[in-house]
Amino acid sequence: MKVLVLSDSHISPVCPNVEEWRALGEWCVQEKPDYIIHLGDVANLDSLAWKIAARGPFTTDAELSCVLEHLKAFESVIKAEQLKNRKDKKKMYKPKRVLCLGNHDIRNNFTGIADLFRARGWDVHDYLSPFIIDDIAFCHCMMRGLTDQPCTSAQELLENWHSTIVVGHGHARDYSESFNIVSGEKIFAIKCPVFNSDDTGWAAQTRNKWSRGFTVIDTDTKEFVWKDIECLHKLLT
């Protein structure tokens, strides 16, 4: 199966990326992934930040409305394709959609992101609760040992979990592989790029190290490719 993986979109009214989400819908219509998986941190949710100074000018309702606008832009392209399939009496493209909640999505025990995605037909998984396809675990992040700190590299993921894992959270691409001593099969870990071209000032110390784009995985062959977000800009022209 072909799986499209997004992560860390950090949608915010400060710097909306609606057209990139619409272009992602166009990419899906062309490439037809069987699964669309978002690994969480859908929104930044500044309004729920612990520090008052970091809460920004927007209410939580405004931030959630911004998420809905992006989601509708993405889904509208797929729905248009489905209507065309029905009219042409062709097999309808109906990808399975999954959200693995990130730490930003549940700030202060907020349930709005989970509720919004469920209402729109997405299968939503709790923060730190992996979703598994063909022995590949998808999760926002995975913790190191018995600590509450996330693994920071692909190699660390393998050393801690000894499984094939795909995560987000770190905003930079990383890959490591090993093998299962019992089955002899290859196992690997992927850290996915951030699906966001936002150049605003938050996370200033690490922003220039981010990888921006999305990941496409073939669960049968265990092959994958990172796609730069610039490939979507070509669909906008």
Side-chain angles (χ1 to χ4, degrees):
M1 287 182 290
K2 182 187 289 187
V3 180
L4 165 66
V5 186
L6 314 173
S7 191
D8 299 274
S9 49
H10 288 280
I11 294 169
S12 169
V14 174
C15 187
N17 297 301
V18 174
E19 289 309 309
E20 284 180 350
W21 279 75
R22 196 185 313 279
L24 184 67
E26 296 285 358
W27 185 92
C28 287
V29 164
Q30 291 181 17
E31 300 296 330
K32 292 184 170 50
D34 302 287
Y35 277 86
I36 299 167
I37 301 178
H38 197 307
L39 294 180
D41 281 5
V42 173
N44 213 38
L45 294 178
D46 288 329
S47 63
L48 299 176
W50 178 68
K51 292 183 179 180
I52 294 176
R55 291 181 183 172
F58 297 97
T59 65
T60 305
D61 284 346
E63 290 176 317
L64 198 60
S65 293
C66 187
V67 172
L68 178 59
E69 181 184 8
H70 286 69
L71 199 53
K72 281 183 174 179
F74 171 66
E75 292 174 345
S76 66
V77 181
I78 296 176
K79 288 181 179 178
E81 176 69 7
Q82 291 172 339
L83 288 173
K84 184 175 181 295
N85 293 158
R86 184 178 291 114
K87 180 180 178 181
D88 296 341
K89 297 182 179 180
K90 294 182 178 179
K91 182 179 179 181
M92 186 173 294
Y93 174 54
K94 294 182 66 175
K96 298 178 177 66
R97 296 166 295 159
V98 178
L99 169 63
C100 299
L101 292 167
N103 50 294
H104 275 259
D105 303 322
I106 60 167
R107 279 182 160 183
N108 296 335
N109 297 315
F110 184 62
T111 64
I113 296 294
D115 294 342
L116 173 62
F117 274 69
R118 284 195 182 101
R120 302 190 69 80
W122 289 66
D123 179 14
V124 178
H125 290 253
D126 291 337
Y127 178 54
L128 302 182
S129 178
F131 172 70
I132 299 172
I133 309 174
D134 292 345
D135 297 325
I136 303 176
F138 296 84
C139 199
H140 180 68
C141 60
M142 301 289 284
M143 296 307 177
R144 180 191 308 133
L146 299 177
T147 73
D148 60 356
Q149 297 299 314
C151 295
T152 58
S153 70
Q155 182 176 346
E156 194 174 42
L157 283 163
L158 289 179
E159 290 171 351
N160 277 265
W161 294 96
H162 313 289
S163 303
T164 294
I165 298 174
V166 180
V167 302
H169 188 66
H171 296 190
R173 304 183 304 197
D174 193 16
Y175 174 80
S176 185
E177 64 181 47
S178 184
F179 74 100
N180 184 307
I181 195 169
V182 175
S183 68
E185 294 179 349
K186 180 175 75 173
I187 59 173
F188 60 85
I190 301 173
K191 288 179 67 67
C192 294
V194 53
F195 186 70
N196 189 322
S197 57
D198 180 4
D199 285 324
T200 56
W202 69 279
Q205 289 183 323
T206 60
R207 190 175 63 248
N208 291 335
K209 298 179 181 179
W210 294 356
S211 307
R212 302 178 189 275
F214 53 98
T215 308
V216 184
I217 302 172
D218 186 320
T219 65
D220 297 320
T221 64
K222 302 299 190 290
E223 295 177 340
F224 78 98
V225 62
W226 284 309
K227 304 287 286 186
D228 193 277
I229 205 165
E230 289 298 322
C231 75
L232 297 180
H233 295 168
K234 297 176 182 178
L235 296 177
L236 298 174
T237 58

PDB file of all heavy atoms in Angstrom, residues 24 44-45 69 99 102 117 123 142 163 180 211 221 226-227 229:
ATOM      1  N   LEU A  24      -1.778  19.819  -2.030  1.00  0.00           N
ATOM      2  CA  LEU A  24      -1.570  18.459  -1.522  1.00  0.00           C
ATOM      3  C   LEU A  24      -2.741  17.563  -1.923  1.00  0.00           C
ATOM      4  O   LEU A  24      -2.553  16.393  -2.263  1.00  0.00           O
ATOM      5  CB  LEU A  24      -1.416  18.474  -0.003  1.00  0.00           C
ATOM      6  CG  LEU A  24      -1.107  17.119   0.634  1.00  0.00           C
ATOM      7  CD1 LEU A  24       0.274  16.629   0.228  1.00  0.00           C
ATOM      8  CD2 LEU A  24      -1.202  17.203   2.163  1.00  0.00           C
ATOM      9  N   ASN A  44      -0.653  24.913  15.835  1.00  0.00           N
ATOM     10  CA  ASN A  44       0.266  25.389  16.864  1.00  0.00           C
ATOM     11  C   ASN A  44      -0.456  25.641  18.185  1.00  0.00           C
ATOM     12  O   ASN A  44       0.077  25.394  19.258  1.00  0.00           O
ATOM     13  CB  ASN A  44       0.966  26.658  16.391  1.00  0.00           C
ATOM     14  CG  ASN A  44       2.368  26.758  16.930  1.00  0.00           C
ATOM     15  OD1 ASN A  44       3.072  25.758  17.030  1.00  0.00           O
ATOM     16  ND2 ASN A  44       2.776  27.954  17.309  1.00  0.00           N
ATOM     17  N   LEU A  45      -1.704  26.153  18.106  1.00  0.00           N
ATOM     18  CA  LEU A  45      -2.524  26.440  19.288  1.00  0.00           C
ATOM     19  C   LEU A  45      -1.782  27.316  20.293  1.00  0.00           C
ATOM     20  O   LEU A  45      -1.669  26.997  21.481  1.00  0.00           O
ATOM     21  CB  LEU A  45      -3.002  25.136  19.938  1.00  0.00           C
ATOM     22  CG  LEU A  45      -3.976  24.289  19.103  1.00  0.00           C
ATOM     23  CD1 LEU A  45      -4.332  22.998  19.831  1.00  0.00           C
ATOM     24  CD2 LEU A  45      -5.246  25.072  18.787  1.00  0.00           C
ATOM     25  N   GLU A  69     -10.428  25.512   7.854  1.00  0.00           N
ATOM     26  CA  GLU A  69     -10.267  26.098   6.517  1.00  0.00           C
ATOM     27  C   GLU A  69      -9.237  25.317   5.703  1.00  0.00           C
ATOM     28  O   GLU A  69      -9.458  25.015   4.518  1.00  0.00           O
ATOM     29  CB  GLU A  69      -9.845  27.556   6.639  1.00  0.00           C
ATOM     30  CG  GLU A  69      -9.676  28.264   5.302  1.00  0.00           C
ATOM     31  CD  GLU A  69      -9.156  29.680   5.444  1.00  0.00           C
ATOM     32  OE1 GLU A  69      -8.782  30.083   6.564  1.00  0.00           O
ATOM     33  OE2 GLU A  69      -9.109  30.388   4.413  1.00  0.00           O
ATOM     34  N   LEU A  99      -5.271  10.350  11.860  1.00  0.00           N
ATOM     35  CA  LEU A  99      -4.541  11.373  12.610  1.00  0.00           C
ATOM     36  C   LEU A  99      -3.994  10.761  13.886  1.00  0.00           C
ATOM     37  O   LEU A  99      -4.738  10.171  14.671  1.00  0.00           O
ATOM     38  CB  LEU A  99      -5.459  12.545  12.967  1.00  0.00           C
ATOM     39  CG  LEU A  99      -4.882  13.560  13.974  1.00  0.00           C
ATOM     40  CD1 LEU A  99      -3.644  14.248  13.401  1.00  0.00           C
ATOM     41  CD2 LEU A  99      -5.944  14.584  14.369  1.00  0.00           C
ATOM     42  N   GLY A 102      -0.572  14.959  18.201  1.00  0.00           N
ATOM     43  CA  GLY A 102       0.714  15.426  18.707  1.00  0.00           C
ATOM     44  C   GLY A 102       0.550  16.191  20.003  1.00  0.00           C
ATOM     45  O   GLY A 102      -0.568  16.487  20.439  1.00  0.00           O
ATOM     46  N   PHE A 117     -11.389  16.402  13.564  1.00  0.00           N
ATOM     47  CA  PHE A 117     -10.990  15.388  12.595  1.00  0.00           C
ATOM     48  C   PHE A 117     -11.947  14.192  12.617  1.00  0.00           C
ATOM     49  O   PHE A 117     -12.283  13.645  11.558  1.00  0.00           O
ATOM     50  CB  PHE A 117      -9.549  14.950  12.855  1.00  0.00           C
ATOM     51  CG  PHE A 117      -8.519  15.825  12.185  1.00  0.00           C
ATOM     52  CD1 PHE A 117      -8.309  17.125  12.606  1.00  0.00           C
ATOM     53  CD2 PHE A 117      -7.788  15.340  11.117  1.00  0.00           C
ATOM     54  CE1 PHE A 117      -7.364  17.934  11.982  1.00  0.00           C
ATOM     55  CE2 PHE A 117      -6.839  16.142  10.476  1.00  0.00           C
ATOM     56  CZ  PHE A 117      -6.633  17.448  10.913  1.00  0.00           C
ATOM     57  N   ASP A 123      -9.807   8.736  11.290  1.00  0.00           N
ATOM     58  CA  ASP A 123      -9.561   7.817  12.401  1.00  0.00           C
ATOM     59  C   ASP A 123      -8.496   8.470  13.291  1.00  0.00           C
ATOM     60  O   ASP A 123      -7.361   8.670  12.855  1.00  0.00           O
ATOM     61  CB  ASP A 123      -9.059   6.482  11.843  1.00  0.00           C
ATOM     62  CG  ASP A 123      -8.747   5.470  12.925  1.00  0.00           C
ATOM     63  OD1 ASP A 123      -9.159   5.676  14.084  1.00  0.00           O
ATOM     64  OD2 ASP A 123      -8.072   4.468  12.616  1.00  0.00           O
ATOM     65  N   MET A 142       8.046   8.867  19.925  1.00  0.00           N
ATOM     66  CA  MET A 142       8.188   7.719  20.820  1.00  0.00           C
ATOM     67  C   MET A 142       9.224   8.079  21.877  1.00  0.00           C
ATOM     68  O   MET A 142      10.242   8.711  21.565  1.00  0.00           O
ATOM     69  CB  MET A 142       8.634   6.479  20.042  1.00  0.00           C
ATOM     70  CG  MET A 142       7.701   6.054  18.919  1.00  0.00           C
ATOM     71  SD  MET A 142       6.138   5.358  19.475  1.00  0.00           S
ATOM     72  CE  MET A 142       6.662   3.728  19.984  1.00  0.00           C
ATOM     73  N   SER A 163      11.748  -1.840  16.380  1.00  0.00           N
ATOM     74  CA  SER A 163      10.627  -2.021  15.457  1.00  0.00           C
ATOM     75  C   SER A 163      10.732  -0.989  14.341  1.00  0.00           C
ATOM     76  O   SER A 163      11.442   0.016  14.467  1.00  0.00           O
ATOM     77  CB  SER A 163       9.284  -1.829  16.187  1.00  0.00           C
ATOM     78  OG  SER A 163       9.157  -2.711  17.274  1.00  0.00           O
ATOM     79  N   ASN A 180      15.869  -7.460  12.164  1.00  0.00           N
ATOM     80  CA  ASN A 180      15.294  -8.275  13.228  1.00  0.00           C
ATOM     81  C   ASN A 180      16.042  -9.601  13.269  1.00  0.00           C
ATOM     82  O   ASN A 180      16.051 -10.347  12.287  1.00  0.00           O
ATOM     83  CB  ASN A 180      13.800  -8.496  12.947  1.00  0.00           C
ATOM     84  CG  ASN A 180      13.112  -9.254  14.056  1.00  0.00           C
ATOM     85  OD1 ASN A 180      13.544 -10.339  14.453  1.00  0.00           O
ATOM     86  ND2 ASN A 180      12.020  -8.690  14.553  1.00  0.00           N
ATOM     87  N   SER A 211      13.421  20.321   7.847  1.00  0.00           N
ATOM     88  CA  SER A 211      13.166  19.804   6.508  1.00  0.00           C
ATOM     89  C   SER A 211      11.683  20.014   6.232  1.00  0.00           C
ATOM     90  O   SER A 211      10.848  19.704   7.080  1.00  0.00           O
ATOM     91  CB  SER A 211      13.499  18.318   6.431  1.00  0.00           C
ATOM     92  OG  SER A 211      14.799  18.058   6.890  1.00  0.00           O
ATOM     93  N   THR A 221       6.963  -2.928  -0.136  1.00  0.00           N
ATOM     94  CA  THR A 221       8.397  -3.032  -0.438  1.00  0.00           C
ATOM     95  C   THR A 221       9.252  -2.403   0.652  1.00  0.00           C
ATOM     96  O   THR A 221      10.472  -2.568   0.655  1.00  0.00           O
ATOM     97  CB  THR A 221       8.712  -2.327  -1.759  1.00  0.00           C
ATOM     98  OG1 THR A 221       8.439  -0.922  -1.631  1.00  0.00           O
ATOM     99  CG2 THR A 221       7.874  -2.906  -2.893  1.00  0.00           C
ATOM    100  N   TRP A 226      11.228  10.993   0.502  1.00  0.00           N
ATOM    101  CA  TRP A 226      10.870  12.294   1.042  1.00  0.00           C
ATOM    102  C   TRP A 226      10.599  13.240  -0.119  1.00  0.00           C
ATOM    103  O   TRP A 226      11.414  13.345  -1.048  1.00  0.00           O
ATOM    104  CB  TRP A 226      12.006  12.866   1.890  1.00  0.00           C
ATOM    105  CG  TRP A 226      12.150  12.255   3.240  1.00  0.00           C
ATOM    106  CD1 TRP A 226      11.173  12.085   4.169  1.00  0.00           C
ATOM    107  CD2 TRP A 226      13.353  11.750   3.843  1.00  0.00           C
ATOM    108  NE1 TRP A 226      11.692  11.500   5.315  1.00  0.00           N
ATOM    109  CE2 TRP A 226      13.021  11.292   5.137  1.00  0.00           C
ATOM    110  CE3 TRP A 226      14.677  11.648   3.414  1.00  0.00           C
ATOM    111  CZ2 TRP A 226      13.960  10.737   6.001  1.00  0.00           C
ATOM    112  CZ3 TRP A 226      15.618  11.097   4.266  1.00  0.00           C
ATOM    113  CH2 TRP A 226      15.260  10.646   5.547  1.00  0.00           C
ATOM    114  N   LYS A 227       9.481  13.936  -0.078  1.00  0.00           N
ATOM    115  CA  LYS A 227       9.131  14.888  -1.120  1.00  0.00           C
ATOM    116  C   LYS A 227       9.250  16.305  -0.559  1.00  0.00           C
ATOM    117  O   LYS A 227       8.672  16.619   0.479  1.00  0.00           O
ATOM    118  CB  LYS A 227       7.697  14.658  -1.605  1.00  0.00           C
ATOM    119  CG  LYS A 227       7.425  13.244  -2.108  1.00  0.00           C
ATOM    120  CD  LYS A 227       8.073  12.979  -3.440  1.00  0.00           C
ATOM    121  CE  LYS A 227       7.367  13.675  -4.562  1.00  0.00           C
ATOM    122  NZ  LYS A 227       7.927  13.298  -5.891  1.00  0.00           N
ATOM    123  N   ILE A 229       8.522  20.198  -0.179  1.00  0.00           N
ATOM    124  CA  ILE A 229       7.253  20.925  -0.283  1.00  0.00           C
ATOM    125  C   ILE A 229       7.185  21.745  -1.582  1.00  0.00           C
ATOM    126  O   ILE A 229       6.097  22.083  -2.054  1.00  0.00           O
ATOM    127  CB  ILE A 229       7.046  21.821   0.956  1.00  0.00           C
ATOM    128  CG1 ILE A 229       5.559  22.083   1.184  1.00  0.00           C
ATOM    129  CG2 ILE A 229       7.853  23.113   0.869  1.00  0.00           C
ATOM    130  CD1 ILE A 229       5.233  22.644   2.544  1.00  0.00           C
TER     131      ILE A 229
END
